[in-house]
Amino acid sequence: MDAAVADGQDDATLHGGAVRDERGRRGLITRDAAGAPLKEPVTDKGLSLDGTSGFAQTDGPVLSTQSSYTVAAWVRIDPEADGTVTALSQSATGNRSAEKSSPFSLSYDAAGDGRWSMRVVSDDRATHEVTSPRPSPRGVWTHVAGVHDVSTQQVSLYVNGVLQGTTAAGAGWDANGPLQIGRALHGGEYTDYLRGSIDEPVVWGRALTTTEVQNEARTMVNGTHAAVELVADFSAARANGTSIEDTTSGYGKSLSLEGGAAVAEGRIVLDGVDDAATAAGPLVDDTGSFTVTTRVELDEQALLTKDVGFIGQVLGQRSADGSSWGLWFEYVGTETVLDEETMEEIQVPVGLWHFGRLTTDGTFSSVTSEQVVRLDGAARLTGVHDSVDGTISLYIGYSRQGVAKAFTAEAGSGGFAVGKAFAGGEWKHFLPARITELRLWSGAMASSAQIDTEVGV
């Protein structure tokens, strides 16, 4: 792995079961830092680790750990990982290697409830640790960062650009050993081998501010385009019986049709009664930045049989008591229009598109379409969650609807569903619709221009 600095002294060498693969968090890079299109797109590479022998390390120290420093990385914990696993640490040398553990370790508790922590060992051998207040899911990209500030003798932890906590750190000491990517040193023995993927590991020889950590978590390519990694791609055109395989992203998920759902004329057909499609999740980190898009056409005749106020979910990821987030349709009434074929007046359903969460009391925490919409064809819907700003945005086509809305993310329980939602202890909100495709990216697309170029029509 190459270092960002030009001298090459901080390059990391891969060892054991560590390999580079084409699942890098920056995804398919199509533009340069100035915003100009690249002649040849570049597929970002990540570091895949096996959890037993795989790691990467530098030839020597990259940080003076008795001074202030910041460490950060994008990490994807394998669902089968167990025990404590460490993304970044630095080794000690000489007697210090036996006396103390790594001076810092940015770790995930895969044996417990899945919380991130930043632990430091001070010069008096005391351990100081700050832990995230809530779990983070496995199998998805999450940005984590630890900041050690010697001026205040404190250590802080950030997850997805959001400060999780700060605690006393004591006085630092100089470990003088190599940076470790994917393991840590404890009592002279290397352990905590990470099973999963790491990308964009970065260290600074100073304490970054919250704003600087947030900018790192945004992973911008240029002023209008953020780096996004395609993590799920389900196209009805690739259906095989009752399964739609994701053969594009490299993450290998599949969408299973349920009830009487079927694929016809290149679309998933849902009757709004019991038809749906599901995938084992989570597909994205609910509390992280992500972008989701779909092309959907609602069944007008079926909607006319529903009561005004009917709510149906196009797609979404569930939480323990409802939806963590989703794209929704709300039926608000009918309009009288002239049928151009019969030249007779007819009633057609109208409604609102939502992106957000249907809360347990039946109300929305969402951003909606700017006006009531007629259902006169397929609609391209795109939802963007920006964890750094704490907002959600809805796009119809590549036109953003209103302004971004403040949103408090809720960690989900994993399941991903199309055409239905979990609420009140049961599956409901079945939507009569025809869906051509859906895709999800890790990362918040940064502009209408990026929606236009990345998502398409």
Side-chain angles (χ1 to χ4, degrees), residues 71-210:
V71 297
W74 283 97
V75 188
R76 188 177 63 87
I77 303 296
D78 189 279
E80 301 302 319
D82 192 22
T84 299
V85 295
T86 296
L88 294 174
S89 69
Q90 188 161 302
S91 299
T93 57
N95 291 335
R96 291 282 190 162
S97 66
E99 290 176 358
K100 297 186 176 183
S101 302
S102 299
F104 72 85
S105 53
L106 189 58
S107 305
Y108 180 87
D109 181 14
D113 58 2
R115 296 173 191 260
W116 282 99
S117 66
M118 177 66 173
R119 183 178 64 181
V120 298
V121 178
S122 58
D123 194 48
D124 61 1
R125 296 179 175 81
T127 298
H128 308 267
E129 186 174 34
V130 56
T131 303
S132 58
R134 59 185 178 186
S136 291
R138 307 183 190 201
V140 294
W141 286 107
T142 300
H143 187 266
V144 288
V147 180
H148 181 240
D149 189 338
V150 297
S151 66
T152 60
Q153 292 196 354
Q154 291 183 321
V155 60
S156 300
L157 172 70
Y158 293 81
V159 177
N160 292 318
V162 179
L163 179 64
Q164 304 296 298
T166 298
T167 193
W173 56 283
D174 194 5
N176 203 35
L179 181 73
Q180 302 292 326
I181 302 172
R183 68 176 186 173
L185 182 71
H186 293 294
E189 299 291 333
Y190 283 107
T191 184
D192 295 354
Y193 285 84
L194 188 141
R195 180 171 177 177
S197 300
I198 299 176
D199 198 20
E200 305 292 321
V202 192
V203 301
W204 295 262
R206 61 184 180 88
L208 264 62
T209 65
T210 294

Side-chain angles (χ1 to χ4, degrees), residues 140 231-234 244 253-258 268 276-286 290-294 313-319 322-327 355 412-422 427 435 437-441:
V140 294
V231 294
D233 182 0
F234 301 116
I244 301 175
K253 295 286 187 176
S254 62
L255 193 66
S256 298
L257 304 182
E258 300 176 349
I268 304 169
T278 60
L283 301 185
V284 292
D285 186 341
D286 303 288
F290 64 86
T291 303
V292 59
T293 192
T294 189
Q313 181 171 268
V314 183
L315 54 82
Q317 203 158 276
R318 63 166 288 191
S319 63
S323 69
S324 178
W325 57 267
L327 286 165
F355 176 56
S413 57
F416 179 80
V418 178
K420 67 176 182 178
F422 191 79
W427 290 102
I435 296 175
E437 54 88 27
L438 60 96
R439 286 168 284 161
L440 288 96
W441 291 264

Side-chain angles (χ1 to χ4, degrees), residues 8-29:
Q9 294 181 8
D10 297 334
D11 290 354
T13 302
L14 276 57
H15 298 269
V19 296
R20 301 296 300 277
D21 64 14
E22 293 188 345
R23 294 184 298 183
R25 172 55 186 80
R26 286 186 173 270
L28 185 66
I29 304 170

Side-chain angles (χ1 to χ4, degrees), residues 348-397:
V348 296
V350 294
L352 295 170
W353 295 113
H354 292 257
F355 176 56
R357 179 171 60 249
L358 186 66
T359 61
T360 54
D361 64 2
T363 61
F364 274 111
S365 173
S366 65
V367 58
T368 67
S369 48
E370 291 181 313
Q371 56 189 8
V372 171
V373 294
R374 284 183 52 190
L375 313 179
D376 52 358
R380 164 65 66 188
L381 306 177
T382 301
V384 178
H385 175 233
D386 187 327
S387 66
V388 175
D389 288 341
T391 61
I392 50 176
S393 300
L394 173 66
Y395 293 78
I396 299 179

Side-chain angles (χ1 to χ4, degrees), residues 34-69:
L38 298 177
K39 291 183 178 180
E40 294 292 337
V42 177
T43 298
D44 188 31
K45 292 183 179 294
L47 177 65
S48 178
L49 303 172
D50 63 0
T52 56
S53 66
F55 69 98
Q57 74 172 17
T58 57
D59 289 338
V62 298
L63 290 171
S64 172
T65 55
Q66 65 184 358
S67 304
S68 294
Y69 57 84

Side-chain angles (χ1 to χ4, degrees), residues 235-241 243-244 257 260-269 435:
S235 171
R238 295 196 297 268
N240 183 8
S243 179
I244 301 175
L257 304 182
V263 172
E265 299 179 345
R267 296 175 294 181
I268 304 169
V269 181
I435 296 175

